[in-house]
Structure formats: structure tokens, C-alpha cells
Amino acid sequence: MPEAPAGSGPRRRAVLAAALAPLAGAGCSGGGAGEAGGAGEAARTPAPGAPAGPEDALVMVIRHAERPYAGGVGRDAEGEEDPGSLAGRGWRRAERLPRLFPPAPGSSLPRPATVFAAGGGKGAAVPARSRQTVTALATALRAPVRAEFAVGAEAALAQAALAAPMPVLVCWEHSGIPRLIQALGADRVPGTPATWPDRHDLVWMFTRRQGRWSFRELPQHLLPGDV
């Protein structure tokens, strides 16, 4: 299991449970900690136990795991050197990503029903790293990875994500994530950063209830050095 940071535990689980309660009727469950939000977000959180409606959605967004440093070389799934693949730390993150979701014991986030990753032509670095990041997770979930959208097609991705079974997890390239959030219609939610930070250890969670979005930023805490 990921190492628990200071301030985690029952209180941490209770905070995320409260955020996810509105979607409990749609099969979402979990516990964890929220890092962003506040009064603006709290005002958007409906009463626990309210029934899910057709406008309800839960979309989790992650950046693909670590790539090689400048001048470094990644490795593909067969262990062969490949500059377009993940670095060693990225592979370790990908291997541990299933710990965040059921059926892993002690998991802290809702189990994705649909997983998207960046798609693209053969040999393209971003699609390869995105798919590599979620391969172990998809295996644990026994779910396919949907990779029919390339970076730049965030509008089409957002439409497909909102039409897919919930909850949805999207693994994407960091510069395209703001376009995805805008396409979802969640870019003006209080607390939502304008850009993805220079980090690979975050989960952005967007919850829509009765047509209104709320936002939480959650730490992964999967590897030493994760904040």
C-alpha cells in the first residue's frame, strides 16, 4: 500500500468519502484526502445519499508516469531501450497505480468503470507512456483501455468520457489536460489550476452533480518522494 502522509488516516478517508457520497448510487465508493477546494467547492457538494441523475459524472484525471530525463532512455514493456517509453520510476508508478483503486485492499479512490489513455500513431511517445501507465491498472480491473483519441482531440475525448460508464479515469499528456477540463465544462470551478503542475503524483477528481462541477486534487503517495 502507499505510504500514508502526515494527517492521513480516518480523517483523510472521511473527507473523500463525503466528496464521493453523492455518487454512491452510481457505484462509487472510497476514502482519501482532498488537497484543493474550499468554501466554493463545499457549496457545490449535495447532501449525501441524494439519488444520481443523468447529469451526474465523476472523472478522474492523471498525468502519464515519469518519462526519462533529457538525454536518458526509457524502456518498453519488454525491457528494451526506448526513448518514447517510461523511465524506471515511471514503470514503478504504473505498477503501483492499482493500489489506489478497488479491488486492492485499502484502496482510496473509486473503482474506474472506464479507462482512457492517449492514443496516436505507432512510435509516438505520449500515447505509449499513457498506455504504459494504465496497463497494470486495466489488467487489475479486467477492463480494456480506450485509446481512440490523440492529444489534441480533447473535445471528442470529453464527449466520450461523459457518455461512458462512470467513474471514468483519463491518463493524458499534461499540456492537454487543461483543454480536456475546458471541454468537460469544469475549467471555471473554484480551485481548479490553470495548468498541470510539474508533477506525476496527483489525481484530479471532477464530480458533477445536478449539472454543477466540483474539484479535488488528491495525492497518490505511491513512491518515495511523492509529496
Side-chain angles (χ1 to χ4, degrees):
M1 288 180 58
E3 295 181 6
S8 62
R11 180 179 179 275
R12 184 168 179 262
R13 289 190 291 272
V15 172
L16 184 55
L20 298 178
L23 290 171
C28 301
S29 62
E35 295 293 315
E41 179 185 353
R44 289 168 166 74
T45 303
E55 294 300 313
D56 293 348
L58 196 162
V59 180
M60 295 171 283
V61 182
I62 61 174
R63 180 183 182 179
H64 65 68
E66 288 86 342
R67 64 183 183 181
Y69 290 110
V73 178
R75 294 188 180 276
D76 62 19
E78 286 70 44
E80 299 295 328
E81 290 189 354
D82 176 19
S85 289
L86 296 175
R89 181 176 175 87
W91 279 110
R92 291 191 293 274
R93 183 176 304 283
E95 291 166 359
R96 297 183 183 187
L97 194 64
R99 300 183 185 187
L100 295 177
F101 307 96
S107 54
S108 60
L109 294 173
R111 176 175 178 148
T114 311
V115 178
F116 288 91
K122 184 177 181 180
V126 169
R129 293 174 187 145
S130 296
R131 291 192 293 268
Q132 289 167 356
T133 299
V134 295
T135 293
L137 174 62
T139 299
L141 297 176
R142 299 181 180 179
V145 177
R146 292 186 57 178
E148 65 263 40
F149 303 104
V151 173
E154 287 80 15
L157 169 63
Q159 184 177 10
L162 293 176
M166 295 289 165
V168 165
L169 176 73
V170 178
C171 181
W172 212 246
E173 196 269 339
H174 72 284
S175 67
I177 291 176
R179 295 192 297 269
L180 170 60
I181 304 312
Q182 183 178 25
L184 289 172
D187 54 308
R188 296 187 179 182
V189 175
T192 304
T195 60
W196 187 277
D198 187 22
R199 294 173 60 179
H200 298 266
D201 62 340
L202 296 173
V203 179
W204 282 7
M205 179 180 292
F206 294 89
T207 305
R208 188 173 69 183
R209 181 68 173 172
Q210 297 179 343
R212 304 180 70 184
W213 287 102
S214 63
F215 167 76
R216 283 190 177 277
E217 181 179 276
L218 304 159
Q220 295 182 7
H221 293 299
L222 292 174
L223 297 174
D226 284 2
V227 177

